[in-house]
Amino acid sequence: MRLTETDFELVDALQDDVRRPWTELARQLGRSPATVRRRWHSLQEAGAAWFSTYPGPGSGAEFAVVEVVCAPEDVTALASRLAQHPKIMTVSEVTGDIDLLCWVVAEDMTVLREVIRHGIGAAPGVRAVRDAPVTSLYSDGSQWRAGALPGSHHARRTGGSAAAAELSRSIAEPRMGRMTRRLEQDARTSSGALSEELALSPAHTRRLLTRTLQGRILTQRVDLATDGSLFTHAMALHLSVPLQELDRVAHRISRLSDTRLCAAVAGERHNLHVVMWLRSLSGAKAAEEAVLRDEDIRVRGRRIVLHYHKRLGHLFDDAGRHTGVVSWVPSGSVPRTRSR
């Protein structure tokens, strides 16, 4: 399904708040609630767009970018294997001197080490692993906007209230785990349904959900299939930035309209990891120039994403079609469900 400008308006409106009532979305977009709801369901059923829910920067979780090298004939089988691991949130096949680029999210350093050393490093076919823990997450796809609505480019989101910090220490606690799993399956699950799932009163559930989302313990966003949108390619850049300039440069790059991810990392030769969305491969040069500008930045690696086997828990087949979700909480796959 090819997305229209109207679809991008809907995507931008939902990016501001995935759980906004259809009536509010319809009022903003100048359409009826039934029309807006029907269009979203059409996009979702076609696999053109979907909701993602995942641990955010307020969760206290540890993040890492992991590069994997294997034999060319093992790439597909290895990617499929790694994609089934709940903590390996993203598995992308890329160009260059590595074969797979992974995004790992774990409850703590102990789990992160276990995933990197055993979940990835000990997997059949792996020849080499290079890991770079994330030290600061400046922006991710939840802040990206298509620019279809006025003033919709790269929303600034902050989290980390005292209440959220307290809550983040129990992100892996069973009740939070059940909430995470339910929202992974249906990001717009009603507070009433969550109340039953968590065995809490509706009022308590609403407060817990509000604190969880506002504190970015869990992050929610809209994701798009690259084959149906205007953004058909992705490019990953590994950059070396002078330490005293890192925050300023990272914030500037985060505000670029094509930036999907900007994270400071403890890498061996680089300290900033950036992912850009491209409308075409010919746009790679302009995108990189916008990132570098006249700054004292060195590019340590540039890679084009050939295929997403998994993106933030969501699985894709060889044709890029959305096929299911692997929950971050337990191992195993859950079927895709329609949003309310």
Side-chain angles (χ1 to χ4, degrees), residues 75-305:
V75 171
T76 300
L78 178 60
S80 298
R81 180 187 182 95
L82 297 183
Q84 292 301 320
H85 195 298
K87 309 303 180 187
I88 306 174
M89 295 288 287
T90 297
V91 180
S92 52
E93 191 174 332
V94 297
T95 61
D97 60 351
I98 66 170
D99 299 291
L100 299 173
L101 191 61
C102 301
W103 179 258
V104 178
V105 182
E107 294 90 330
D108 52 40
M109 271 296 180
T110 299
V111 178
L112 184 69
R113 183 183 63 190
E114 176 73 17
V115 174
I116 294 172
R117 299 292 175 257
H118 301 286
I120 299 177
V126 172
R127 290 181 172 178
V129 173
R130 294 193 293 267
D131 54 277
V134 172
T135 55
S136 294
L137 183 61
Y138 292 95
S139 68
D140 70 358
S142 66
Q143 287 141 282
W144 177 88
R145 299 293 184 272
L149 292 174
S152 63
H153 282 296
H154 270 83
R156 291 285 296 161
R157 295 186 181 183
T158 58
S161 66
E166 177 66 28
L167 202 56
S168 72
R169 287 196 283 271
S170 60
I171 184 66
E173 184 260 345
R175 183 173 289 167
M176 285 296 295
R178 291 198 299 273
M179 175 188 284
T180 301
R181 182 176 172 83
R182 187 63 180 263
L183 292 174
E184 285 173 329
Q185 296 178 62
D186 182 359
R188 290 175 63 89
T189 297
S190 69
S191 55
L194 275 176
S195 162
E196 295 178 8
E197 177 82 24
L198 303 178
L200 296 173
S201 71
H204 189 173
T205 300
R206 284 192 295 272
R207 287 194 298 270
L208 178 63
L209 182 60
T210 297
R211 289 161 56 197
T212 298
L213 296 178
Q214 288 185 351
R216 302 199 69 197
I217 296 163
L218 291 179
T219 298
Q220 295 189 304
R221 80 186 199 199
V222 179
D223 272 316
L224 304 177
T226 54
D227 61 345
S229 76
L230 296 175
F231 310 93
T232 53
H233 299 281
M235 176 175 64
L237 296 172
H238 288 174
L239 308 175
S240 177
V241 182
L243 186 60
Q244 65 272 21
E245 298 294 327
L246 183 60
D247 278 345
R248 182 185 62 78
V249 170
H251 284 301
R252 178 183 65 78
I253 293 173
S254 293
R255 291 192 293 271
L256 296 175
S257 61
D258 293 333
T259 300
R260 288 286 293 185
L261 176 68
C262 183
V265 297
E268 183 178 356
R269 299 179 64 244
H270 67 287
N271 58 358
L272 194 63
H273 177 73
V274 176
V275 176
M276 311 289 289
W277 265 18
L278 309 173
R279 294 172 185 259
S280 67
L281 287 180
S282 62
K285 179 177 180 292
E288 186 171 332
E289 287 175 341
V291 167
L292 300 181
R293 212 164 65 178
D294 296 323
E295 307 273 8
D296 181 19
I297 303 174
R298 294 190 177 185
V299 179
R300 301 298 188 181
R302 61 174 65 80
R303 298 177 175 91
I304 297 296
V305 175

